[in-house]
Amino acid sequence: MADSVVLDPVDLHLLRLLQNDARMTYRDLAAQVGVAPSTCLDRVTRLRRSGVILGHQLRLDPAKLGRGLEALLSVQVRPHRRELVGPFVERIRALPESITVFHLTGPDDYLVHVAVADMADLQRLVLDGFTSRSEVARVETRLIFQQWDCGPLLPPRPEGAPASTPTSDHQAPGNPGA
């Protein structure tokens, strides 16, 4: 497990703001946090180098790209050996329909979030992309009716620190003032 990084209140404020709008300029970010732009740049650079900030992602709507059906595939691999894990994961990650791959404990070895055009496309993916592979023992498919984003993920409060009230840094969509 990776070592945690000590974050002070300024770091936490920067992270809250960046999670909600990663495109903020350093000038705007610094003004909201109350530090100089150069200090803001130095801190964000340190947060990137320490691995707290992993990157910036562009999120796409699968439905608008012709992939309106999303599913979770529970996959059991047999035999579950180290020499099969890497190649299997790389193969699944290379499928254009794959969104996320999780390696799990329990009866299923992997959970794969996929987006496809329709039921026929999902059937093709399961049969050709998964069950046709010799190491795949079983695939269970669950359709996703709807999903909600959660977050932002913030570091836990130090022990003994009072619970803070929600700030204006993050407002839930459709719930102004939350």
Side-chain angles (χ1 to χ4, degrees):
M1 185 169 178
D3 294 329
S4 62
V5 175
V6 177
L7 303 170
D8 67 16
V10 173
D11 294 330
L12 294 173
H13 198 177
L14 287 168
L15 292 171
R16 283 185 183 95
L17 292 168
L18 287 170
Q19 281 189 20
N20 291 303
D21 183 2
R23 297 182 300 173
M24 286 184 76
T25 65
Y26 286 113
R27 178 183 302 215
D28 292 341
L29 193 57
Q32 287 194 39
V33 175
V35 298
S38 60
T39 301
C40 182
L41 174 63
D42 290 344
R43 284 181 173 257
V44 171
T45 300
R46 182 180 52 81
L47 291 167
R48 282 192 185 109
R49 285 188 182 140
S50 66
V52 173
I53 296 175
L54 298 176
H56 307 278
Q57 296 179 335
L58 178 68
R59 294 182 56 213
L60 304 175
D61 183 343
K64 293 198 165 112
L65 297 172
R67 295 186 182 169
L69 181 64
E70 293 184 55
L72 296 173
L73 307 179
S74 298
V75 182
Q76 191 177 70
V77 173
R78 292 295 176 258
H80 193 169
R81 294 193 317 249
R82 183 173 295 281
E83 62 268 14
L84 293 177
V85 169
F88 176 78
V89 169
E90 290 311 308
R91 166 72 178 120
I92 299 312
R93 290 182 68 209
L95 294 171
E97 298 89 352
S98 295
I99 296 174
T100 309
V101 180
F102 299 94
H103 192 189
L104 309 171
T105 63
D108 297 315
D109 300 312
Y110 298 94
L111 184 65
V112 185
H113 180 189
V114 299
V116 294
D118 53 30
M119 289 299 287
D121 198 23
L122 180 59
Q123 181 181 22
R124 177 205 51 79
L125 176 64
V126 169
L127 293 174
D128 298 340
F130 288 86
T131 60
S132 65
R133 299 190 55 85
S134 62
E135 70 271 24
V136 174
R138 183 178 59 79
V139 175
E140 270 186 36
T141 303
R142 291 171 179 82
L143 298 180
I144 298 173
F145 291 136
Q146 193 170 5
Q147 71 183 44
W148 295 267
D149 287 334
C150 300
L153 173 68
L154 294 175
R157 288 186 307 276
E159 286 195 34
S164 61
T165 57
T167 66
S168 62
D169 292 346
H170 176 70
Q171 292 184 353
N175 192 4

